[in-house]
C-alpha cells in the first residue's frame, strides 16, 4: 500500500511550492481576520446636533481612528439625549456661549462644526483660538473671503482645518480619478454634474438667506462644483450661469431655486451643471474623454454609489461614507496622511471662489473670469 507515502509526498510538494505563506494568506478572499487597531485616536466633539450631526455620530461608532467624546449645542434636551445615547461625560458638554472653554479640556482634540452655513465662520475661528483642530461642513463659509479668514485663523493657531468632503474618500469616485490620472480616459473633454432634489419644509434654515447664504447652490450645488474639479483634475478659469425661479414665495430674494452653470478649464474641457431645489432624481456625474467615459449615478448620495465606465461596471465595495471620512481625517490630523483629493480649508476656499463667481454671473448675465 502506498497511500500514506503518496499523501506525504503531496504534503512535501505543497510545502516546497508555498514555503512562505502564512495561515492568513491561505484563507479564502474576504476571510482574512482584521487586526485590531492600536494607533492614535482623534477625540471629537460635534457642534450642531441636527439630522446630519446625528448621522455622523452614528457612523463614528464604527470608526477605529476617531471617537465621539463631546457635544456642543444650544438645545439642552439634545445634549442630554446625546449624553445618554453616546455615553458622553458631562464635562465634555458645551453650549454656543461657553464652548470657548474647550481650550481647557485636554480630552477633546477636534470639533466638527455641523451648523447652518452662516455660523461656520465665527465658530471655526473660535475653535481655532481654543487650540483645537476644526472640521467644518461644506460649504465652509458664505464667501471666499470668509473662508480665507478661517484658513488664516487656523494657521495662526497652528491647528488643522478640514472640510467635510466625504466623497473624496469614496472608492468608486477614487477609481475614476485614478483612471483619469493614468490616462485611461484620454484627454478630458466634458463633465456633467446634476445635483438636486425637491426641498420640503419652507421654514427650514436652508431657505433662509441669512443662515444659508443662498439656496440650492449653497447646499447641493457645491457637489457638482467640487466634482467637476476633482473629476477633470483642473481648476476652472471662467463660469457662466443663469437662474430659474418658479416659486418666488418659497424661494425668496437671494435664495436660488435652480441655477444652470457652465465652467471652462485651461485644457479646453468644459462642464455643464445643474443645481436645484425643485427636481428629484438628479444625482449624476458624467466624465467624457477621447478614450472613454465614466459615470456615477447616484454620484454623491449617502450610498451605495453606483458607477460604470467604458470598461464596465464599478464594483468597489460600499462603506458608510462618514465612517470612512472620520477615519481618514483622523489619519490626516494625527499621522500626517495626504489624501488623494485634498479636504483642507484651501480646498473649501476654491469652491467658494467658484460659488462667488456663479452668483456674480447670475446677477450680471456675463461670463465671469476666475
Amino acid at each position: 500500500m502506498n497511500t500514506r507515502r503518496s499523501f506525504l509526498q503531496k504534503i512535501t510538494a505543497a510545502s516546497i511550492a508555498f514555503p512562505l505563506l502564512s495561515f492568513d494568506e491561505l484563507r479564502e478572499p474576504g476571510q482574512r481576520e482584521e487586526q485590531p487597531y492600536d494607533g492614535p485616536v482623534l477625540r471629537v466633539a460635534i457642534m450642531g446636533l441636527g439630522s446630519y450631526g446625528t448621522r455622523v455620530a452614528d457612523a463614528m461608532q464604527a470608526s477605529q481612528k476617531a471617537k465621539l467624546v463631546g457635544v456642543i449645542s444650544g438645545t439642552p434636551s439634545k445634549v442630554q439625549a446625546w449624553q445618554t445615547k453616546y455615553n458622553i461625560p458631562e464635562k465634555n458638554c458645551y453650549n454656543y456661549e461657553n464652548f470657548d472653554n474647550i481650550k481647557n479640556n485636554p480630552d477633546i482634540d477636534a470639533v466638527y462644526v455641523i451648523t447652518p452655513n452662516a455660523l461656520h465662520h465665527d465658530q471655526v475661528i473660535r475653535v481655532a483660538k481654543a487650540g483645537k483642530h476644526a472640521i467644518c461642513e461644506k460649504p465652509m463659509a458664505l464667501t471666499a473671503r470668509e473662508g480665507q479668514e478661517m484658513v488664516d485663523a487656523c494657521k495662526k493657531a497652528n491647528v488643522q482645518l478640514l472640510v467635510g468632503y466625504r466623497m473624496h474618500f469614496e472608492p468608486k469616485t477614487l477609481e475614476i480619478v485614478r483612471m483619469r490620472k493614468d490616462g485611461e480616459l484620454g484627454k478630458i473633454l466634458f463633465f456633467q454634474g446634476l445635483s438636486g432634489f425637491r426641498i420640503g419644509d419652507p421654514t427650514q434654515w436652508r431657505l433662509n438667506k441669512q443662515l444659508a447664504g443662498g439656496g440650492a447652490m449653497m447646499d447641493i450645488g457645491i457637489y457638482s462644483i467640487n466634482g467637476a474639479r476633482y473629476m477633470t483634475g483642473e481648476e476652472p478659469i471662467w463660469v457662466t450661469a443663469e437662474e430659474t425661479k418658479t416659486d418666488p414665495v418659497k424661494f425668496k430674494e437671494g435664495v436660488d431655486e435652480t441655477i444652470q452653470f457652465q465652467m471652462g478649464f485651461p485644457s479646453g474641457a468644459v462642464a455643464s451643471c445643474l443645481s436645484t431645489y425643485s427636481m428629484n432624481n438628479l444625482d449624476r456625474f458624467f466624465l467624457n474623454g477621447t478614450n472613454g467615459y465614466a459615470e456615477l449615478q447616484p454620484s454623491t448620495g449617502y450610498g451605495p454609489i453606483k458607477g460604470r465606465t467604458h470598461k464596465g461596471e464599478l464594483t468597489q465595495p460600499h462603506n458608510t461614507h462618514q465612517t470612512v471620512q472620520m477615519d481618514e481625517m483622523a489619519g490626516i490630523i494625527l499621522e500626517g496622511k495626504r489624501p488623494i483629493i485634498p479636504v483642507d480649508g484651501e480646498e473649501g476656499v476654491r469652491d467658494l471662489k467658484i460659488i462667488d463667481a456663479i452668483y456674480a454671473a447670475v446677477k450680471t448675465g456675463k461670463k465671469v473670469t476666475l
Side-chain angles (χ1 to χ4, degrees):
M1 297 290 290
N2 61 359
T3 303
R4 183 173 179 274
R5 180 177 299 172
S6 298
F7 174 75
L8 290 173
Q9 288 173 341
K10 290 177 181 179
I11 289 294
T12 302
S15 66
I16 293 171
F18 306 103
L20 300 178
L21 293 184
S22 68
F23 177 76
D24 274 349
E25 290 170 310
L26 290 171
R27 291 177 184 272
E28 290 295 319
Q31 288 186 327
R32 184 186 299 272
E33 289 185 348
E34 293 265 349
Q35 292 296 318
Y37 178 71
D38 190 30
V41 173
L42 185 71
R43 298 165 299 176
V44 180
I46 289 181
M47 180 186 298
L49 311 185
S51 60
Y52 192 71
T54 301
R55 183 180 289 274
V56 172
D58 288 342
M60 283 180 67
Q61 303 312 297
S63 175
Q64 290 187 311
K65 296 184 178 183
K67 180 182 180 183
L68 175 63
V69 299
V71 295
I72 303 168
S73 174
T75 308
S77 60
K78 287 185 178 180
V79 172
Q80 292 171 3
W82 279 50
Q83 278 188 268
T84 302
K85 182 177 180 181
Y86 302 111
N87 193 28
I88 296 171
E90 177 68 29
K91 67 182 182 65
N92 291 353
C93 297
Y94 301 87
N95 58 43
Y96 295 131
E97 286 71 43
N98 68 12
F99 78 80
D100 307 272
N101 293 332
I102 59 174
K103 67 182 178 182
N104 301 317
N105 191 333
D107 295 333
I108 295 175
D109 302 314
V111 176
Y112 195 158
V113 178
I114 311 178
T115 55
N117 305 337
L119 306 180
H120 293 173
H121 173 267
D122 291 351
Q123 289 171 340
V124 165
I125 290 175
R126 287 171 66 185
V127 168
K129 287 181 177 179
K132 305 299 181 180
H133 301 292
I135 303 170
C136 185
E137 257 314 302
K138 57 195 179 300
M140 192 173 79
L142 299 188
T143 65
R145 178 185 59 80
E146 282 191 359
Q148 189 59 53
E149 289 173 356
M150 295 159 70
V151 169
D152 293 343
C154 289
K155 286 183 177 179
K156 182 178 180 180
N158 197 30
V159 297
Q160 294 207 44
L161 170 57
L162 305 181
V163 184
Y165 290 113
R166 58 186 167 81
M167 302 313 300
H168 291 200
F169 308 108
E170 197 281 316
K172 294 181 178 69
T173 299
L174 291 176
E175 173 60 10
I176 293 174
V177 171
R178 182 203 65 75
M179 291 177 68
R180 186 257 301 160
K181 286 183 174 180
D182 288 351
E184 295 179 26
L185 302 175
K187 177 180 170 60
I188 299 302
L189 304 173
F190 174 73
F191 172 83
Q192 181 187 51
L194 304 178
S195 301
F197 62 92
R198 289 184 63 87
I199 198 165
D201 180 9
T203 66
Q204 65 181 280
W205 71 263
R206 287 177 178 82
L207 297 176
N208 181 321
K209 173 68 160 62
Q210 283 64 47
L211 288 176
M217 184 61 64
M218 297 297 288
D219 180 18
I220 192 71
I222 193 171
Y223 283 100
S224 281
I225 292 172
N226 193 246
R229 294 176 49 240
Y230 62 68
M231 285 293 186
T232 63
E234 296 189 82
E235 298 296 329
I237 55 177
W238 59 259
V239 302
T240 60
E242 183 175 357
E243 180 180 2
T244 302
K245 187 170 290 192
T246 65
D247 188 345
V249 175
K250 188 172 186 178
F251 304 98
K252 297 177 174 59
E253 180 68 26
V255 179
D256 48 285
E257 176 184 351
T258 300
I259 293 180
Q260 295 169 271
F261 61 98
Q262 296 74 43
M263 295 181 280
F265 298 90
S267 68
V270 292
S272 177
C273 304
L274 177 69
S275 165
T276 184
Y277 265 161
S278 62
M279 290 176 258
N280 284 329
N281 307 309
L282 290 178
D283 185 10
R284 178 178 183 265
F285 286 175
F286 180 78
L287 186 66
N288 196 35
T290 53
N291 295 342
Y293 73 90
E295 179 184 31
L296 293 173
Q297 186 176 10
S299 56
T300 62
Y302 295 141
I305 301 302
K306 295 183 179 180
R308 60 192 177 97
T309 75
H310 59 286
K311 294 185 174 182
E313 183 180 0
L314 295 173
T315 58
Q316 288 73 18
H318 168 70
N319 292 304
T320 302
H321 295 172
Q322 293 80 7
T323 303
V324 177
Q325 173 193 319
M326 294 310 300
D327 275 340
E328 292 295 328
M329 286 186 166
I332 293 168
I333 292 173
L334 298 177
E335 304 169 53
K337 290 185 66 176
R338 294 175 63 90
I340 294 171
I341 311 173
V343 293
D344 53 32
E346 286 84 356
E347 178 78 356
V349 172
R350 293 183 189 102
D351 280 343
L352 288 169
K353 287 180 178 178
I354 298 168
I355 290 177
D356 288 350
I358 288 171
Y359 280 138
V362 166
K363 186 175 182 179
T364 64
K366 297 179 180 179
K367 177 186 286 189
V368 175
T369 302
L370 290 159

